[in-house]
Amino acid sequence: MTADTVFANARVATLNGKTPYGLIDDSAVAVVGDKISWVGPRTAAPAAKETVDCEGGLITPGLIDCHTHLVYGGNRAREFEARLKGASYEEIAKAGGGIISTVKATRTASEDDLVASALIRLDRLIAEGVTTIEIKSGYGLDVETELKMLRVARRLAGERPVDIQTTFLGAHAVPPEYTGRADAYIDHVCNDMLPAAKAEGLVDAVDGFCEGVGFSPKQIEQVFMKARDLDLPVKLHAEQLSDLGGAKLAARYGALSADHLEYLAPDDVGALADAGTVAVLLPGAFYYLRETKLPPIDALRAAGVPMAVATDANPGTSPMTSIILAMNMACTLFRLTPEEAIAGATREAARALGLQESHGAIIPGKAANLAVWRAEHPAELAYHIGDNLLKFRVYKGKI
Ligand code: DI6
Ligand code: FE
């Protein structure tokens, strides 16, 4: 069959999971409609209506940022100052700052304001070859604002050529009007907020913050049970600042992912492996909080837990909009190999979103979302600091 477009004169890192990077030298990728139809040696490429010369560049799957809080009002530069003067993230949260200060700014922002500020951040990710991004709610913490955030996130997909997955994070923090009544707030999340978001068709997955400054495993389990009733997959911010056993709970509910995991006990790694839950590593937050406890990478690797890498783009703990820097930090700070870091922002990130059948690798039948780089070897993508080697991006078959 004649292809619509062949991207030729390239080295292709298919990330097919079979050989290192799934690398094919002197190769081409063919596209029909919005799907990849063929990949292989250039000389065997099918006929095409159009051929694009990649000038010897490197083709990878379009990058996937599988954990972000991209939609929010305001910023937390003053909190950054306070932390540099010695206040801890948890102290600031307990004093009503932190997440709650972003909640206040997000509640007062209009939908258009939130779209405009998120687009600036989204454009930075797109400029680095990102073609799929997950965006969480969690700075509304009331029905109206949680729905507003999710609507804004969905609207972004109409503003730019990018796939957006939305995650409901009502259980992110206790809002001021529920101070001292966390259980009552969780009831509100389960009985009102999540059903309303689901009814509007705004939810692809359900997340929570299982932490001393967030919610207990028992409270998170209420939310997970509700998600199960509503037939929604779950994921969890687990073991970021302390070990409450969140990852085990997530695994018990067959979570798509458990995220952060700095304080994960090596004994709990097996539960993630058995459940097929992806470990999403967020080195930007580790760096920004000057954390010193490393996630148990060797144990995760040895158990065969899939590892994804994401920005955690958020105003408090990771004001970062570079997936390339996240891949670099995953190598320098967490000692991932460049191959693991790149798989972490493509194939394994797709798995963390439940999109492994359709996204994250250059395999016929998958979405024709590609990134073409001014690079000879994929390790170059994780090697630079502050350099962006992107030549161009292909989304649904189109440059
Ligand atoms: N963990 C994080 O790193 C972000 N949320 C979470 O549960 C931080 C959110 C914030 O501080 O605004
Ligand atoms: Fe997060």
Side-chain angles (χ1 to χ4, degrees), residues 53-118:
D53 181 0
C54 296
E55 300 167 326
L58 174 76
I59 305 181
T60 67
L63 301 184
I64 299 176
D65 193 350
C66 68
H67 179 142
T68 86
H69 310 248
L70 206 77
V71 172
Y72 59 83
N75 71 68
R76 305 244 289 277
R78 301 306 305 277
E79 176 183 320
F80 181 54
E81 284 185 334
R83 283 203 290 111
L84 286 167
K85 288 186 186 136
S88 77
Y89 180 72
E90 281 139 307
E91 282 162 6
I92 290 166
K94 282 195 191 112
I99 292 174
I100 295 307
S101 67
T102 300
V103 169
K104 289 177 183 153
T106 305
R107 285 180 176 178
T108 53
S110 71
E111 242 181 78
D112 288 345
D113 290 342
L114 291 174
V115 168
S117 62

Side-chain angles (χ1 to χ4, degrees), residues 67 69 136 237 260 312:
H67 179 142
H69 310 248
K136 301 175 195 297
H237 285 71
H260 289 288
D312 197 15

